[in-house]
Structure formats: structure tokens, C-alpha cells
mmCIF file of all heavy atoms in Angstrom:
data_model
loop_
_atom_site.group_PDB
_atom_site.id
_atom_site.type_symbol
_atom_site.label_atom_id
_atom_site.label_comp_id
_atom_site.label_asym_id
_atom_site.label_seq_id
_atom_site.Cartn_x
_atom_site.Cartn_y
_atom_site.Cartn_z
ATOM 1 N N MET S 1 -10.053 21.328 -10.882
ATOM 2 C CA MET S 1 -9.286 20.354 -10.136
ATOM 3 C C MET S 1 -7.840 20.358 -10.624
ATOM 4 O O MET S 1 -6.925 20.338 -9.811
ATOM 5 C CB MET S 1 -9.920 18.978 -10.309
ATOM 6 C CG MET S 1 -9.215 17.895 -9.561
ATOM 7 S SD MET S 1 -9.529 17.886 -7.810
ATOM 8 C CE MET S 1 -11.126 17.166 -7.767
ATOM 9 N N HIS S 2 -7.673 20.409 -11.932
ATOM 10 C CA HIS S 2 -6.321 20.390 -12.510
ATOM 11 C C HIS S 2 -5.503 21.591 -12.029
ATOM 12 O O HIS S 2 -4.337 21.458 -11.693
ATOM 13 C CB HIS S 2 -6.418 20.368 -14.035
ATOM 14 C CG HIS S 2 -5.103 20.263 -14.721
ATOM 15 N ND1 HIS S 2 -4.317 19.148 -14.643
ATOM 16 C CD2 HIS S 2 -4.425 21.154 -15.471
ATOM 17 C CE1 HIS S 2 -3.216 19.356 -15.333
ATOM 18 N NE2 HIS S 2 -3.261 20.572 -15.836
ATOM 19 N N ARG S 3 -6.134 22.753 -11.969
ATOM 20 C CA ARG S 3 -5.427 23.960 -11.507
ATOM 21 C C ARG S 3 -5.039 23.851 -10.040
ATOM 22 O O ARG S 3 -3.989 24.337 -9.631
ATOM 23 C CB ARG S 3 -6.276 25.198 -11.732
ATOM 24 C CG ARG S 3 -6.262 25.623 -13.184
ATOM 25 C CD ARG S 3 -7.088 26.833 -13.344
ATOM 26 N NE ARG S 3 -8.465 26.334 -13.469
ATOM 27 C CZ ARG S 3 -9.488 27.051 -13.848
ATOM 28 N NH1 ARG S 3 -9.345 28.324 -14.088
ATOM 29 N NH2 ARG S 3 -10.676 26.538 -13.977
ATOM 30 N N ILE S 4 -5.875 23.205 -9.241
ATOM 31 C CA ILE S 4 -5.542 23.012 -7.818
ATOM 32 C C ILE S 4 -4.303 22.131 -7.699
ATOM 33 O O ILE S 4 -3.386 22.426 -6.933
ATOM 34 C CB ILE S 4 -6.723 22.382 -7.053
ATOM 35 C CG1 ILE S 4 -7.912 23.331 -7.018
ATOM 36 C CG2 ILE S 4 -6.304 22.018 -5.626
ATOM 37 C CD1 ILE S 4 -9.180 22.714 -6.464
ATOM 38 N N ILE S 5 -4.259 21.063 -8.476
ATOM 39 C CA ILE S 5 -3.113 20.147 -8.428
ATOM 40 C C ILE S 5 -1.856 20.846 -8.930
ATOM 41 O O ILE S 5 -0.794 20.735 -8.314
ATOM 42 C CB ILE S 5 -3.414 18.862 -9.235
ATOM 43 C CG1 ILE S 5 -4.523 18.066 -8.546
ATOM 44 C CG2 ILE S 5 -2.149 18.012 -9.381
ATOM 45 C CD1 ILE S 5 -5.077 16.934 -9.373
ATOM 46 N N GLU S 6 -1.976 21.586 -10.034
ATOM 47 C CA GLU S 6 -0.815 22.306 -10.565
ATOM 48 C C GLU S 6 -0.270 23.330 -9.575
ATOM 49 O O GLU S 6 0.917 23.606 -9.559
ATOM 50 C CB GLU S 6 -1.173 23.010 -11.877
ATOM 51 C CG GLU S 6 -1.209 22.096 -13.064
ATOM 52 C CD GLU S 6 -1.428 22.855 -14.350
ATOM 53 O OE1 GLU S 6 -1.977 23.967 -14.332
ATOM 54 O OE2 GLU S 6 -1.047 22.304 -15.397
ATOM 55 N N ALA S 7 -1.144 23.874 -8.752
ATOM 56 C CA ALA S 7 -0.720 24.868 -7.762
ATOM 57 C C ALA S 7 -0.053 24.210 -6.552
ATOM 58 O O ALA S 7 0.354 24.896 -5.630
ATOM 59 C CB ALA S 7 -1.918 25.692 -7.311
ATOM 60 N N GLY S 8 0.059 22.892 -6.575
ATOM 61 C CA GLY S 8 0.732 22.191 -5.488
ATOM 62 C C GLY S 8 -0.160 21.956 -4.279
ATOM 63 O O GLY S 8 0.333 21.699 -3.189
ATOM 64 N N ARG S 9 -1.455 22.039 -4.474
ATOM 65 C CA ARG S 9 -2.392 21.863 -3.364
ATOM 66 C C ARG S 9 -3.097 20.512 -3.501
ATOM 67 O O ARG S 9 -4.315 20.418 -3.627
ATOM 68 C CB ARG S 9 -3.367 23.022 -3.342
ATOM 69 C CG ARG S 9 -2.631 24.332 -3.134
ATOM 70 C CD ARG S 9 -3.423 25.600 -3.153
ATOM 71 N NE ARG S 9 -4.829 25.531 -3.446
ATOM 72 C CZ ARG S 9 -5.484 26.458 -4.127
ATOM 73 N NH1 ARG S 9 -4.844 27.501 -4.597
ATOM 74 N NH2 ARG S 9 -6.768 26.354 -4.341
ATOM 75 N N VAL S 10 -2.295 19.460 -3.420
ATOM 76 C CA VAL S 10 -2.796 18.100 -3.635
ATOM 77 C C VAL S 10 -3.841 17.722 -2.595
ATOM 78 O O VAL S 10 -4.859 17.107 -2.929
ATOM 79 C CB VAL S 10 -1.624 17.088 -3.629
ATOM 80 C CG1 VAL S 10 -2.123 15.671 -3.726
ATOM 81 C CG2 VAL S 10 -0.662 17.405 -4.754
ATOM 82 N N ILE S 11 -3.612 18.077 -1.350
ATOM 83 C CA ILE S 11 -4.556 17.709 -0.296
ATOM 84 C C ILE S 11 -5.916 18.351 -0.551
ATOM 85 O O ILE S 11 -6.954 17.704 -0.389
ATOM 86 C CB ILE S 11 -4.003 18.061 1.093
ATOM 87 C CG1 ILE S 11 -2.803 17.156 1.399
ATOM 88 C CG2 ILE S 11 -5.064 17.916 2.170
ATOM 89 C CD1 ILE S 11 -2.098 17.430 2.688
ATOM 90 N N GLU S 12 -5.923 19.603 -0.984
ATOM 91 C CA GLU S 12 -7.195 20.259 -1.305
ATOM 92 C C GLU S 12 -7.895 19.557 -2.464
ATOM 93 O O GLU S 12 -9.116 19.396 -2.444
ATOM 94 C CB GLU S 12 -6.978 21.728 -1.634
ATOM 95 C CG GLU S 12 -6.623 22.557 -0.420
ATOM 96 C CD GLU S 12 -6.395 24.005 -0.766
ATOM 97 O OE1 GLU S 12 -7.094 24.540 -1.649
ATOM 98 O OE2 GLU S 12 -5.508 24.599 -0.153
ATOM 99 N N ALA S 13 -7.140 19.136 -3.455
ATOM 100 C CA ALA S 13 -7.729 18.418 -4.590
ATOM 101 C C ALA S 13 -8.338 17.096 -4.133
ATOM 102 O O ALA S 13 -9.432 16.721 -4.576
ATOM 103 C CB ALA S 13 -6.679 18.170 -5.667
ATOM 104 N N LEU S 14 -7.665 16.405 -3.232
ATOM 105 C CA LEU S 14 -8.207 15.149 -2.708
ATOM 106 C C LEU S 14 -9.464 15.397 -1.880
ATOM 107 O O LEU S 14 -10.405 14.594 -1.924
ATOM 108 C CB LEU S 14 -7.159 14.420 -1.859
ATOM 109 C CG LEU S 14 -6.051 13.732 -2.639
ATOM 110 C CD1 LEU S 14 -4.980 13.238 -1.692
ATOM 111 C CD2 LEU S 14 -6.602 12.590 -3.472
ATOM 112 N N GLU S 15 -9.480 16.489 -1.116
ATOM 113 C CA GLU S 15 -10.675 16.819 -0.335
ATOM 114 C C GLU S 15 -11.860 17.075 -1.252
ATOM 115 O O GLU S 15 -12.973 16.598 -0.984
ATOM 116 C CB GLU S 15 -10.415 18.031 0.554
ATOM 117 C CG GLU S 15 -9.494 17.724 1.712
ATOM 118 C CD GLU S 15 -9.063 18.959 2.484
ATOM 119 O OE1 GLU S 15 -9.178 20.091 1.951
ATOM 120 O OE2 GLU S 15 -8.594 18.797 3.618
ATOM 121 N N VAL S 16 -11.635 17.806 -2.343
ATOM 122 C CA VAL S 16 -12.707 18.070 -3.306
ATOM 123 C C VAL S 16 -13.192 16.756 -3.911
ATOM 124 O O VAL S 16 -14.398 16.505 -4.007
ATOM 125 C CB VAL S 16 -12.230 19.043 -4.412
ATOM 126 C CG1 VAL S 16 -13.238 19.116 -5.552
ATOM 127 C CG2 VAL S 16 -11.975 20.419 -3.830
ATOM 128 N N ALA S 17 -12.260 15.906 -4.308
ATOM 129 C CA ALA S 17 -12.634 14.619 -4.919
ATOM 130 C C ALA S 17 -13.368 13.724 -3.926
ATOM 131 O O ALA S 17 -14.370 13.091 -4.276
ATOM 132 C CB ALA S 17 -11.382 13.912 -5.443
ATOM 133 N N ALA S 18 -12.886 13.660 -2.691
ATOM 134 C CA ALA S 18 -13.497 12.789 -1.688
ATOM 135 C C ALA S 18 -14.913 13.244 -1.342
ATOM 136 O O ALA S 18 -15.761 12.411 -1.000
ATOM 137 C CB ALA S 18 -12.632 12.751 -0.434
ATOM 138 N N ASP S 19 -15.182 14.551 -1.438
ATOM 139 C CA ASP S 19 -16.499 15.088 -1.089
ATOM 140 C C ASP S 19 -17.434 15.237 -2.280
ATOM 141 O O ASP S 19 -18.569 15.678 -2.117
ATOM 142 C CB ASP S 19 -16.336 16.449 -0.409
ATOM 143 C CG ASP S 19 -15.677 16.340 0.949
ATOM 144 O OD1 ASP S 19 -15.730 15.251 1.556
ATOM 145 O OD2 ASP S 19 -15.099 17.345 1.407
ATOM 146 N N SER S 20 -16.982 14.844 -3.460
ATOM 147 C CA SER S 20 -17.770 15.045 -4.671
ATOM 148 C C SER S 20 -18.854 13.969 -4.823
ATOM 149 O O SER S 20 -18.560 12.792 -4.999
ATOM 150 C CB SER S 20 -16.848 15.005 -5.896
ATOM 151 O OG SER S 20 -17.617 14.962 -7.080
ATOM 152 N N GLU S 21 -20.098 14.419 -4.771
ATOM 153 C CA GLU S 21 -21.212 13.490 -4.954
ATOM 154 C C GLU S 21 -21.214 12.919 -6.370
ATOM 155 O O GLU S 21 -21.493 11.745 -6.579
ATOM 156 C CB GLU S 21 -22.534 14.198 -4.676
ATOM 157 C CG GLU S 21 -23.726 13.267 -4.730
ATOM 158 C CD GLU S 21 -25.014 13.958 -4.336
ATOM 159 O OE1 GLU S 21 -24.970 14.900 -3.530
ATOM 160 O OE2 GLU S 21 -26.055 13.546 -4.850
ATOM 161 N N ARG S 22 -20.868 13.762 -7.330
ATOM 162 C CA ARG S 22 -20.825 13.300 -8.724
ATOM 163 C C ARG S 22 -19.782 12.200 -8.902
ATOM 164 O O ARG S 22 -20.025 11.196 -9.575
ATOM 165 C CB ARG S 22 -20.524 14.474 -9.649
ATOM 166 C CG ARG S 22 -20.501 14.084 -11.093
ATOM 167 C CD ARG S 22 -20.308 15.281 -11.982
ATOM 168 N NE ARG S 22 -20.243 14.864 -13.364
ATOM 169 C CZ ARG S 22 -19.853 15.624 -14.329
ATOM 170 N NH1 ARG S 22 -19.513 16.874 -14.101
ATOM 171 N NH2 ARG S 22 -19.800 15.173 -15.560
ATOM 172 N N LEU S 23 -18.602 12.391 -8.303
ATOM 173 C CA LEU S 23 -17.560 11.373 -8.401
ATOM 174 C C LEU S 23 -18.017 10.069 -7.733
ATOM 175 O O LEU S 23 -17.815 8.992 -8.274
ATOM 176 C CB LEU S 23 -16.262 11.872 -7.764
ATOM 177 C CG LEU S 23 -15.039 10.996 -7.955
ATOM 178 C CD1 LEU S 23 -14.640 10.934 -9.426
ATOM 179 C CD2 LEU S 23 -13.867 11.521 -7.137
ATOM 180 N N ARG S 24 -18.657 10.203 -6.558
ATOM 181 C CA ARG S 24 -19.161 9.000 -5.867
ATOM 182 C C ARG S 24 -20.181 8.260 -6.716
ATOM 183 O O ARG S 24 -20.194 7.033 -6.746
ATOM 184 C CB ARG S 24 -19.792 9.381 -4.520
ATOM 185 C CG ARG S 24 -18.802 9.572 -3.411
ATOM 186 C CD ARG S 24 -19.480 9.626 -2.041
ATOM 187 N NE ARG S 24 -20.558 10.586 -1.966
ATOM 188 C CZ ARG S 24 -20.429 11.851 -1.580
ATOM 189 N NH1 ARG S 24 -19.253 12.303 -1.236
ATOM 190 N NH2 ARG S 24 -21.474 12.654 -1.532
ATOM 191 N N ASN S 25 -21.038 9.015 -7.408
ATOM 192 C CA ASN S 25 -22.073 8.376 -8.227
ATOM 193 C C ASN S 25 -21.513 7.774 -9.503
ATOM 194 O O ASN S 25 -21.884 6.664 -9.880
ATOM 195 C CB ASN S 25 -23.171 9.389 -8.590
ATOM 196 C CG ASN S 25 -23.996 9.774 -7.388
ATOM 197 O OD1 ASN S 25 -24.063 9.059 -6.398
ATOM 198 N ND2 ASN S 25 -24.631 10.933 -7.468
ATOM 199 N N ASP S 26 -20.628 8.511 -10.185
ATOM 200 C CA ASP S 26 -20.126 8.068 -11.485
ATOM 201 C C ASP S 26 -18.907 7.164 -11.392
ATOM 202 O O ASP S 26 -18.720 6.274 -12.234
ATOM 203 C CB ASP S 26 -19.786 9.275 -12.364
ATOM 204 C CG ASP S 26 -21.018 10.097 -12.724
ATOM 205 O OD1 ASP S 26 -22.146 9.605 -12.532
ATOM 206 O OD2 ASP S 26 -20.841 11.240 -13.189
ATOM 207 N N PHE S 27 -18.062 7.404 -10.402
ATOM 208 C CA PHE S 27 -16.821 6.642 -10.264
ATOM 209 C C PHE S 27 -16.580 6.309 -8.791
ATOM 210 O O PHE S 27 -15.698 6.891 -8.146
ATOM 211 C CB PHE S 27 -15.636 7.447 -10.810
ATOM 212 C CG PHE S 27 -15.805 7.876 -12.235
ATOM 213 C CD1 PHE S 27 -16.248 9.153 -12.545
ATOM 214 C CD2 PHE S 27 -15.538 6.989 -13.268
ATOM 215 C CE1 PHE S 27 -16.412 9.553 -13.861
ATOM 216 C CE2 PHE S 27 -15.695 7.378 -14.590
ATOM 217 C CZ PHE S 27 -16.141 8.660 -14.893
ATOM 218 N N PRO S 28 -17.362 5.397 -8.232
ATOM 219 C CA PRO S 28 -17.260 5.115 -6.799
ATOM 220 C C PRO S 28 -15.868 4.641 -6.365
ATOM 221 O O PRO S 28 -15.419 4.976 -5.265
ATOM 222 C CB PRO S 28 -18.322 4.047 -6.548
ATOM 223 C CG PRO S 28 -18.703 3.520 -7.887
ATOM 224 C CD PRO S 28 -18.369 4.579 -8.881
ATOM 225 N N ASP S 29 -15.172 3.895 -7.213
ATOM 226 C CA ASP S 29 -13.827 3.437 -6.850
ATOM 227 C C ASP S 29 -12.858 4.606 -6.718
ATOM 228 O O ASP S 29 -12.040 4.650 -5.800
ATOM 229 C CB ASP S 29 -13.281 2.445 -7.877
ATOM 230 C CG ASP S 29 -13.995 1.103 -7.830
ATOM 231 O OD1 ASP S 29 -14.615 0.789 -6.789
ATOM 232 O OD2 ASP S 29 -13.924 0.369 -8.823
ATOM 233 N N ALA S 30 -12.961 5.578 -7.618
ATOM 234 C CA ALA S 30 -12.088 6.750 -7.566
ATOM 235 C C ALA S 30 -12.378 7.577 -6.313
ATOM 236 O O ALA S 30 -11.458 8.068 -5.655
ATOM 237 C CB ALA S 30 -12.265 7.604 -8.818
ATOM 238 N N ALA S 31 -13.650 7.722 -5.975
ATOM 239 C CA ALA S 31 -14.020 8.474 -4.772
ATOM 240 C C ALA S 31 -13.485 7.777 -3.526
ATOM 241 O O ALA S 31 -12.952 8.429 -2.617
ATOM 242 C CB ALA S 31 -15.533 8.623 -4.688
ATOM 243 N N TYR S 32 -13.608 6.463 -3.487
ATOM 244 C CA TYR S 32 -13.097 5.702 -2.346
ATOM 245 C C TYR S 32 -11.575 5.863 -2.235
ATOM 246 O O TYR S 32 -11.049 6.078 -1.146
ATOM 247 C CB TYR S 32 -13.460 4.220 -2.480
ATOM 248 C CG TYR S 32 -12.766 3.367 -1.450
ATOM 249 C CD1 TYR S 32 -13.248 3.305 -0.142
ATOM 250 C CD2 TYR S 32 -11.625 2.646 -1.762
ATOM 251 C CE1 TYR S 32 -12.601 2.543 0.818
ATOM 252 C CE2 TYR S 32 -10.973 1.892 -0.808
ATOM 253 C CZ TYR S 32 -11.463 1.838 0.476
ATOM 254 O OH TYR S 32 -10.813 1.082 1.421
ATOM 255 N N GLN S 33 -10.887 5.766 -3.352
ATOM 256 C CA GLN S 33 -9.430 5.886 -3.321
ATOM 257 C C GLN S 33 -8.987 7.282 -2.898
ATOM 258 O O GLN S 33 -8.019 7.428 -2.160
ATOM 259 C CB GLN S 33 -8.851 5.527 -4.689
ATOM 260 C CG GLN S 33 -9.089 4.066 -4.993
ATOM 261 C CD GLN S 33 -7.939 3.418 -5.701
ATOM 262 O OE1 GLN S 33 -6.953 4.058 -6.026
ATOM 263 N NE2 GLN S 33 -8.068 2.140 -5.940
ATOM 264 N N ALA S 34 -9.693 8.311 -3.349
ATOM 265 C CA ALA S 34 -9.364 9.683 -2.942
ATOM 266 C C ALA S 34 -9.541 9.838 -1.442
ATOM 267 O O ALA S 34 -8.683 10.402 -0.752
ATOM 268 C CB ALA S 34 -10.244 10.684 -3.682
ATOM 269 N N LYS S 35 -10.636 9.317 -0.924
ATOM 270 C CA LYS S 35 -10.902 9.405 0.519
ATOM 271 C C LYS S 35 -9.863 8.624 1.316
ATOM 272 O O LYS S 35 -9.367 9.089 2.340
ATOM 273 C CB LYS S 35 -12.314 8.887 0.806
ATOM 274 C CG LYS S 35 -12.822 9.196 2.168
ATOM 275 C CD LYS S 35 -14.291 8.840 2.289
ATOM 276 C CE LYS S 35 -14.876 9.430 3.537
ATOM 277 N NZ LYS S 35 -16.311 9.282 3.605
ATOM 278 N N ASP S 36 -9.512 7.430 0.833
ATOM 279 C CA ASP S 36 -8.524 6.599 1.508
ATOM 280 C C ASP S 36 -7.145 7.256 1.497
ATOM 281 O O ASP S 36 -6.456 7.286 2.529
ATOM 282 C CB ASP S 36 -8.464 5.218 0.849
ATOM 283 C CG ASP S 36 -7.456 4.301 1.515
ATOM 284 O OD1 ASP S 36 -7.600 4.063 2.735
ATOM 285 O OD2 ASP S 36 -6.525 3.840 0.826
ATOM 286 N N LEU S 37 -6.742 7.798 0.363
ATOM 287 C CA LEU S 37 -5.443 8.452 0.266
ATOM 288 C C LEU S 37 -5.385 9.686 1.158
ATOM 289 O O LEU S 37 -4.393 9.920 1.850
ATOM 290 C CB LEU S 37 -5.147 8.830 -1.187
ATOM 291 C CG LEU S 37 -3.786 9.457 -1.454
ATOM 292 C CD1 LEU S 37 -2.648 8.590 -0.935
ATOM 293 C CD2 LEU S 37 -3.621 9.728 -2.930
ATOM 294 N N LEU S 38 -6.455 10.457 1.176
ATOM 295 C CA LEU S 38 -6.519 11.631 2.044
ATOM 296 C C LEU S 38 -6.371 11.225 3.506
ATOM 297 O O LEU S 38 -5.630 11.850 4.272
ATOM 298 C CB LEU S 38 -7.837 12.375 1.823
ATOM 299 C CG LEU S 38 -8.034 13.665 2.606
ATOM 300 C CD1 LEU S 38 -6.955 14.678 2.255
ATOM 301 C CD2 LEU S 38 -9.410 14.231 2.318
ATOM 302 N N LYS S 39 -7.045 10.159 3.902
ATOM 303 C CA LYS S 39 -6.948 9.663 5.278
ATOM 304 C C LYS S 39 -5.525 9.233 5.602
ATOM 305 O O LYS S 39 -4.988 9.564 6.660
ATOM 306 C CB LYS S 39 -7.908 8.492 5.491
ATOM 307 C CG LYS S 39 -7.868 7.903 6.889
ATOM 308 C CD LYS S 39 -8.737 6.651 6.959
ATOM 309 C CE LYS S 39 -8.628 5.950 8.276
ATOM 310 N NZ LYS S 39 -7.289 5.493 8.617
ATOM 311 N N ARG S 40 -4.883 8.515 4.676
ATOM 312 C CA ARG S 40 -3.509 8.061 4.915
ATOM 313 C C ARG S 40 -2.535 9.226 5.013
ATOM 314 O O ARG S 40 -1.613 9.197 5.832
ATOM 315 C CB ARG S 40 -3.066 7.082 3.830
ATOM 316 C CG ARG S 40 -3.820 5.755 3.922
ATOM 317 C CD ARG S 40 -3.264 4.700 3.018
ATOM 318 N NE ARG S 40 -3.297 5.132 1.638
ATOM 319 C CZ ARG S 40 -2.481 4.687 0.698
ATOM 320 N NH1 ARG S 40 -1.557 3.801 0.972
ATOM 321 N NH2 ARG S 40 -2.587 5.127 -0.539
ATOM 322 N N ILE S 41 -2.734 10.266 4.215
ATOM 323 C CA ILE S 41 -1.867 11.452 4.287
ATOM 324 C C ILE S 41 -2.048 12.133 5.639
ATOM 325 O O ILE S 41 -1.076 12.477 6.310
ATOM 326 C CB ILE S 41 -2.165 12.427 3.132
ATOM 327 C CG1 ILE S 41 -1.690 11.831 1.811
ATOM 328 C CG2 ILE S 41 -1.487 13.774 3.381
ATOM 329 C CD1 ILE S 41 -2.165 12.592 0.576
ATOM 330 N N LYS S 42 -3.299 12.318 6.049
ATOM 331 C CA LYS S 42 -3.568 12.991 7.319
ATOM 332 C C LYS S 42 -3.081 12.183 8.513
ATOM 333 O O LYS S 42 -2.695 12.753 9.528
ATOM 334 C CB LYS S 42 -5.056 13.299 7.438
ATOM 335 C CG LYS S 42 -5.488 14.426 6.528
ATOM 336 C CD LYS S 42 -6.926 14.813 6.741
ATOM 337 C CE LYS S 42 -7.263 16.024 5.887
ATOM 338 N NZ LYS S 42 -8.632 16.480 6.103
ATOM 339 N N ASP S 43 -3.100 10.855 8.397
ATOM 340 C CA ASP S 43 -2.628 9.983 9.488
ATOM 341 C C ASP S 43 -1.117 9.792 9.476
ATOM 342 O O ASP S 43 -0.567 9.134 10.345
ATOM 343 C CB ASP S 43 -3.299 8.608 9.411
ATOM 344 C CG ASP S 43 -4.783 8.668 9.751
ATOM 345 O OD1 ASP S 43 -5.244 9.685 10.308
ATOM 346 O OD2 ASP S 43 -5.485 7.671 9.454
ATOM 347 N N GLY S 44 -0.444 10.320 8.448
ATOM 348 C CA GLY S 44 1.007 10.194 8.353
ATOM 349 C C GLY S 44 1.485 8.878 7.784
ATOM 350 O O GLY S 44 2.670 8.558 7.851
ATOM 351 N N GLU S 45 0.573 8.107 7.200
ATOM 352 C CA GLU S 45 0.942 6.821 6.612
ATOM 353 C C GLU S 45 1.489 6.970 5.191
ATOM 354 O O GLU S 45 2.053 6.047 4.640
ATOM 355 C CB GLU S 45 -0.268 5.887 6.589
ATOM 356 C CG GLU S 45 -0.794 5.538 7.963
ATOM 357 C CD GLU S 45 -2.095 4.763 7.887
ATOM 358 O OE1 GLU S 45 -2.425 4.212 6.835
ATOM 359 O OE2 GLU S 45 -2.788 4.724 8.921
ATOM 360 N N PHE S 46 1.275 8.143 4.603
ATOM 361 C CA PHE S 46 1.730 8.401 3.236
ATOM 362 C C PHE S 46 2.270 9.823 3.210
ATOM 363 O O PHE S 46 1.593 10.759 3.618
ATOM 364 C CB PHE S 46 0.562 8.269 2.247
ATOM 365 C CG PHE S 46 0.965 8.443 0.819
ATOM 366 C CD1 PHE S 46 1.396 7.365 0.075
ATOM 367 C CD2 PHE S 46 0.921 9.692 0.209
ATOM 368 C CE1 PHE S 46 1.760 7.525 -1.264
ATOM 369 C CE2 PHE S 46 1.286 9.857 -1.112
ATOM 370 C CZ PHE S 46 1.713 8.773 -1.848
ATOM 371 N N VAL S 47 3.470 9.989 2.725
ATOM 372 C CA VAL S 47 4.102 11.300 2.686
ATOM 373 C C VAL S 47 4.194 11.755 1.234
ATOM 374 O O VAL S 47 4.667 11.016 0.371
ATOM 375 C CB VAL S 47 5.499 11.262 3.320
ATOM 376 C CG1 VAL S 47 6.186 12.607 3.233
ATOM 377 C CG2 VAL S 47 5.423 10.789 4.753
ATOM 378 N N ILE S 48 3.729 12.977 0.969
ATOM 379 C CA ILE S 48 3.818 13.534 -0.377
ATOM 380 C C ILE S 48 5.217 14.084 -0.572
ATOM 381 O O ILE S 48 5.657 14.951 0.177
ATOM 382 C CB ILE S 48 2.794 14.668 -0.580
ATOM 383 C CG1 ILE S 48 1.376 14.133 -0.384
ATOM 384 C CG2 ILE S 48 2.945 15.300 -1.957
ATOM 385 C CD1 ILE S 48 0.316 15.201 -0.418
ATOM 386 N N PRO S 49 5.968 13.560 -1.574
ATOM 387 C CA PRO S 49 7.308 14.070 -1.826
ATOM 388 C C PRO S 49 7.263 15.533 -2.270
ATOM 389 O O PRO S 49 6.376 15.930 -2.998
ATOM 390 C CB PRO S 49 7.855 13.179 -2.931
ATOM 391 C CG PRO S 49 6.766 12.274 -3.337
ATOM 392 C CD PRO S 49 5.571 12.530 -2.480
ATOM 393 N N GLU S 50 8.240 16.316 -1.832
ATOM 394 C CA GLU S 50 8.279 17.736 -2.215
ATOM 395 C C GLU S 50 9.269 17.964 -3.329
ATOM 396 O O GLU S 50 10.171 17.287 -3.546
ATOM 397 C CB GLU S 50 8.652 18.576 -1.010
ATOM 398 C CG GLU S 50 7.557 18.534 0.019
ATOM 399 C CD GLU S 50 7.810 19.524 1.154
ATOM 400 O OE1 GLU S 50 8.452 20.544 0.907
ATOM 401 O OE2 GLU S 50 7.361 19.244 2.244
#
């Protein structure tokens, strides 16, 4: 995950986190936030600074 983020592929990292069953089981709040942030980025409500 860290390498994905370092490579500048934040959306891919969020997709992995949002789809992670382990994250949902161990850290449900983090999984929810990843899914919510991904949705906001895709809907244009949140812009990732370049």
C-alpha cells in the first residue's frame, strides 16, 4: 500500500483499502473513511492537489 501511495496512485490505494475485507473487519472506521473519500474524489467533491 505504501509503495502505491509513494508512486502517486492515491486513488488505487483508496480502492484497495475500501475493498479490503481485513480492513473492514479490523478497522471498520478506516474502511468507511477510505470508501467515503474515494466516492467524494470520484464525484468531484474532493480534489487531490498535484
Side-chain angles (χ1 to χ4, degrees):
M1 181 76 77
H2 184 67
R3 283 181 277 192
I4 295 171
I5 293 169
E6 282 186 336
R9 299 177 356 215
V10 175
I11 292 177
E12 288 179 36
L14 285 171
E15 288 172 342
V16 169
D19 292 337
S20 170
E21 185 175 330
R22 182 176 178 193
L23 188 65
R24 278 193 308 268
N25 290 338
D26 295 346
F27 304 98
D29 289 339
Y32 171 79
Q33 294 218 357
K35 193 171 193 172
D36 180 58
L37 183 54
L38 183 60
K39 179 186 174 300
R40 291 189 301 154
I41 290 169
K42 287 185 175 183
D43 291 345
E45 297 173 18
F46 183 88
V47 178
I48 300 174
E50 293 188 29

